[in-house]
Amino acid sequence: MTIATLTKPWEAMSYGFLDASAKRELRRKMLKAIAVPGCQMPYASREVPMARGWGTGGLQVTLTLLRPSSVVKVIDQGADDSVNAASIRSFLSKVSGARETWDTLEATIIQSRHRIPEERLRADQVLVLQVPNPEPLRPVEPNMSVARQMHADADYGRLWLILYEQIVRSGRVMQGAAYPSLVNGRHVMTPSPIPRWDVPKLHMAQHLTFLSAGREKRLYAVPPFTRVEPLVFSDVPFQVEDHAALTCHRSGLTGYFMNEIPQGGGGSQFELSDSNLGIKAIRQAEGAEARVGSTWYENGKMPQ
Amino acid sequence: MIATAPPLALQAPQLMTTPPLLTMTGVSRRYGDVVALRDVSATVYPGEVLGIVGESGSGKSTLLRMMNLEDMPDAGDYRLALPDLPGNLFDLDRFARRMLCATRIGIVYQNPHLGLLMKHTSSGNVAERLLIAGERSFAALRGRAREALDASEFPLDRMDARPLELSGGMQQRVQLAKAIALEPVLLLLDEPTTGLDVSVQALVLDTLKRLQRDRAMTIVIVSHDLGVIRTMADRVMVMRRGRVVEQGLADQIFQDPQHDYTQQLVHAKL
Ligand SMILES: Nc1ncnc2c1ncn2[C@@H]1O[C@H](COP(=O)(O)OP(=O)(O)OP(=O)(O)O)[C@@H](O)[C@H]1O
Ligand SMILES: [Mg+2]
């Protein structure tokens, strides 16, 4: 008997980069996360060829879900062409054979940092959000094992207390991104650093969302058709960012989340944050063929 | 009248015809080698103030923690006359226990750090109680926090200051406001005035007495200061080394102590 008969033949890397046991562990945790919506599941978090904090959590989930027939889109702050998004996307395609795309409608898996696309996601699509800090209780309870007990007890009084004190101090809720939201009436999650604008998109959505933090080694999920309710007082309505009336200076679209671009004279211009939506709108206006799907927001309003 | 009646050791006042609000039977608790409570039983009637006195380490605070369901005994039975919770409260699950002590029982600790979130606002500390009980209207939270602080005679212009920045007396008033915000059936006070200087102590006691009178609250107050117990309590329980050594009407205990230890206590004070 020789070593060669006991070992597998040499391969450049295993399919989807992660080895089979890593993927199996992740899949189990992902199934658990779906079973208990919004509840953080610890996982092993393997090494990937990227520094922690750059989306390694999202990357591991995406690698586990990919297959050669997948079509993958990666966005960073809404843009497909930023360095980080482009290199993650090409890495994903290289290790899995999945096709790359910028088009939200075409993608089967979308990995994202900071944004949910403006076009509605369908039941056959999966959204993977990169999360830097998965623990909504961190600001009120630095001890993580106590925080876990608080989740078990659904003891969220102090999260509400933070909102109460923001209103007392500033007259309004100051929480911008990562707005704490109650999932399925049970667990409060922090929906990654997406703006408030994107939080209502998760509520009763058709698609499956995974949220994964590589450094903190936790993942959680919002399964399709699950309630996601931002914590709000009954007499202080939830407000998204005041972007409904802004117009994108490149595409001419109005009623979506915008990036502000400061101008020389002290004023500012606005540009669609979902850059692919802007590109498609410009193509359409130029008479080229481009399909724009239905969007979550209509005329700057989210229909109930 | 009552003082001249024959001693009714270990008996509740006979005038009380209503059933007790609180009944504790055979509660024991040990921590390693230390027996903190030995077969302690207690009864408190609605609207009554029960005072608990005893030397340091006699188990007073431990007993109060049991009444607040913060700690579980090794053995014992604990009931409150609540129609929705008829059984032994020590058998409740974690979640029910937490709900019960957040909504039906109020507590003031000697050490405000135990009872308050020092880095949050005072009104927020009171509001948190209401939030746990499910209040979701900001205006109602604000209003009810203000009311409770006002009832505790806390200066309202400081209601959004952090307890960290307040005097000891004010901190105790925030604790008190938090304890009474949900109009609990039972108010537990663990040395609420110890550590305050005498004039502040008198003011806080005044507030407590007024609250008790206005709201006919049922109170269990622990103190090693017989003066405090004398001003507040209707009935007194004397503890020593984890046991109840004597109990009876306050006047009776103070004028005609039966147990050696109680006699020493009373005479040392007088
Ligand atoms: N969590 C605990 N762990 C270990 N021992 C404890 C604990 N709690 C109380 N004890 C012990 O139980 C005994 C009773 O303590 P307790 O705090 O009830 O006394 P006390 O009557 O309130 O005293 P004091 O007047 O000093 O406040 C003490 O010997 C104490 O050391
Ligand atoms: Mg004590």
Side-chain angles (χ1 to χ4, degrees):
Chain A
M1 193 180 287
T2 60
I3 293 286
T5 60
L6 293 171
T7 52
K8 284 194 288 181
W10 185 87
E11 281 174 274
M13 57 179 70
S14 65
Y15 178 76
F17 189 82
L18 297 173
D19 59 74
S21 67
K23 282 192 279 195
R24 184 162 58 236
E25 195 246 354
L26 268 160
R27 253 183 237 118
R28 283 186 179 157
K29 296 299 161 58
M30 285 154 69
L31 287 170
K32 275 191 177 179
I34 292 171
V36 193
C39 182
Q40 299 165 50
M41 301 295 165
Y43 68 99
S45 196
R46 305 300 166 116
E47 289 298 323
V48 284
M50 200 163 74
R52 302 260 191 215
W54 290 85
T56 54
L59 188 65
Q60 291 174 72
V61 168
T62 311
L63 285 170
T64 305
L65 291 169
L66 277 179
R67 35 183 191 167
S69 58
S70 301
V71 183
V72 62
K73 172 183 165 85
V74 179
I75 45 177
D76 186 348
Q77 306 262 25
D80 299 82
D81 57 353
S82 77
V83 176
N84 198 25
S87 49
I88 293 179
R89 190 173 53 244
S90 74
F91 173 73
L92 288 171
S93 151
K94 189 167 161 188
V95 298
S96 70
R99 190 155 61 80
E100 297 178 43
T101 186
W102 284 20
D103 189 352
T104 304
L105 299 180
E106 211 185 17
T108 59
I109 299 181
I110 300 169
Q111 182 177 329
S112 165
R113 169 170 172 262
H114 284 320
R115 285 304 315 278
I116 297 175
E118 299 285 7
E119 287 164 294
R120 266 174 198 279
L121 298 182
R122 304 176 308 261
D124 60 324
Q125 295 176 301
V126 179
L127 175 67
V128 180
L129 289 170
Q130 304 167 195
V131 183
N133 179 5
E135 183 50 79
L137 292 168
R138 170 107 91 201
V140 291
E141 181 50 68
N143 182 336
M144 286 299 110
S145 40
V146 176
R148 228 165 300 166
Q149 284 185 19
M150 290 167 74
H151 279 293
D153 290 343
D155 180 2
Y156 296 127
R158 277 191 250 167
L159 286 179
W160 288 95
L161 179 54
I162 288 188
L163 301 178
Y164 166 90
E165 290 182 341
Q166 286 176 358
I167 302 179
V168 165
R169 214 172 313 119
S170 323
R172 66 196 173 87
V173 173
M174 300 300 286
Q175 187 84 30
Y179 196 100
S181 305
L182 185 66
V183 183
N184 200 29
R186 176 60 182 83
H187 286 91
V188 170
M189 69 158 186
T190 161
S192 105
I194 60 173
R196 277 171 303 175
W197 182 270
D198 286 348
V199 175
K201 294 176 182 174
L202 290 168
H203 178 65
M204 296 307 274
Q206 288 189 24
H207 70 279
L208 165 64
T209 305
F210 282 110
L211 303 99
S212 176
R215 189 169 10 106
E216 307 283 329
K217 303 181 170 64
R218 307 275 188 88
L219 67 84
Y220 45 109
V222 179
F225 301 103
T226 303
R227 280 178 292 138
V228 175
E229 293 148 319
L231 302 189
V232 275
F233 294 114
S234 56
D235 50 351
V236 184
F238 179 73
Q239 279 182 326
V240 299
E241 290 80 356
D242 202 6
H243 288 197
L246 304 179
T247 301
C248 171
H249 77 106
R250 292 169 72 185
S251 66
L253 290 184
T254 300
Y256 299 105
F257 194 78
M258 301 284 170
N259 295 333
E260 186 170 354
I261 301 162
Q263 298 298 305
S268 39
Q269 281 189 324
F270 296 94
E271 188 179 286
L272 270 184
S273 163
D274 184 343
S275 64
N276 186 248
L277 179 66
I279 291 168
K280 290 199 287 187
I282 293 169
R283 286 225 189 100
Q284 260 186 350
E286 288 170 349
E289 196 180 334
R291 199 162 66 83
V292 174
S294 74
T295 53
W296 264 294
Y297 282 83
E298 288 161 13
N299 303 319
K301 286 244 170 349
M302 181 96 185
Q304 291 312 306
Chain B
M1 275 298 286
I2 294 169
T4 56
L8 297 165
L10 306 174
Q11 288 278 305
Q14 287 184 327
L15 290 174
M16 298 275 188
T17 50
T18 44
L21 173 78
L22 177 157
T23 322
M24 217 174 214
T25 347
V27 172
S28 300
R29 178 69 160 109
R30 53 191 313 151
Y31 297 101
D33 292 339
V34 181
V35 182
L37 294 175
R38 255 180 247 259
D39 193 22
V40 171
S41 299
T43 324
V44 187
Y45 289 84
E48 180 188 42
V49 179
L50 175 70
I52 303 179
V53 287
E55 63 194 359
S56 187
S58 57
K60 307 179 299 287
S61 297
T62 307
L63 182 59
L64 223 59
R65 279 208 305 279
M66 301 284 162
M67 289 179 174
N68 198 35
L69 294 167
E70 270 171 66
D71 198 357
M72 290 294 110
D74 302 325
D77 188 284
Y78 175 31
R79 284 157 208 267
L80 289 176
L82 298 171
D84 49 328
L85 293 168
N88 181 358
L89 299 179
F90 290 139
D91 293 339
L92 290 179
D93 64 47
R94 210 183 134 89
F95 191 75
R97 217 157 57 209
R98 200 174 67 85
M99 254 351 243
L100 173 68
C101 71
T103 58
R104 316 297 278 278
I105 303 173
I107 187 158
V108 175
Y109 298 94
Q110 174 182 349
N111 182 349
H113 284 266
L114 285 177
L116 295 177
L117 300 167
M118 284 293 168
K119 291 180 179 165
H120 287 277
T121 57
S122 300
S123 71
N125 267 283
V126 183
E128 195 211 5
R129 267 287 160 125
L130 306 165
L131 283 163
I132 291 173
E135 179 60 74
R136 290 291 179 264
S137 147
F138 176 78
L141 283 170
R142 193 90 183 128
R144 289 172 68 185
R146 176 189 291 272
E147 255 168 51
L149 284 164
D150 197 28
S152 313
E153 293 169 348
F154 179 89
L156 289 181
D157 55 325
R158 305 293 308 275
M159 70 184 275
D160 294 321
R162 298 182 303 166
L164 212 54
E165 300 153 4
L166 300 174
S167 70
M170 286 206 239
Q171 289 177 348
Q172 291 311 66
R173 291 180 192 281
V174 178
Q175 277 208 77
L176 185 59
K178 178 176 171 175
I180 62 170
L182 287 171
E183 304 191 349
V185 293
L186 178 65
L187 179 61
L188 306 173
L189 308 169
D190 192 358
E191 314 254 10
T193 59
T194 311
L196 303 180
D197 74 55
V198 181
S199 58
V200 178
Q201 187 171 338
L203 291 172
V204 172
L205 280 179
D206 271 354
T207 305
L208 284 171
K209 285 187 76 171
R210 198 185 42 76
L211 271 175
Q212 204 280 328
R213 208 178 46 232
D214 294 354
R215 304 193 175 193
M217 274 202 286
T218 311
I219 298 179
V220 178
I221 179 169
V222 164
S223 185
H224 62 259
D225 183 339
L226 287 186
V228 170
I229 297 296
R230 184 167 238 166
T231 32
M232 292 290 302
D234 302 314
R235 222 149 45 79
V236 176
M237 212 162 93
V238 184
M239 289 186 69
R240 191 175 195 208
R241 301 203 188 117
R243 283 184 204 278
V244 180
V245 293
E246 181 165 3
Q247 60 176 309
L249 296 176
D251 296 348
Q252 202 177 22
I253 297 279
F254 284 111
Q255 285 174 21
D256 187 18
Q258 300 292 304
H259 193 274
D260 288 352
Y261 173 66
T262 319
Q263 288 173 359
Q264 284 172 27
L265 260 183
V266 172
H267 291 135
K269 175 75 188 169
L270 295 178

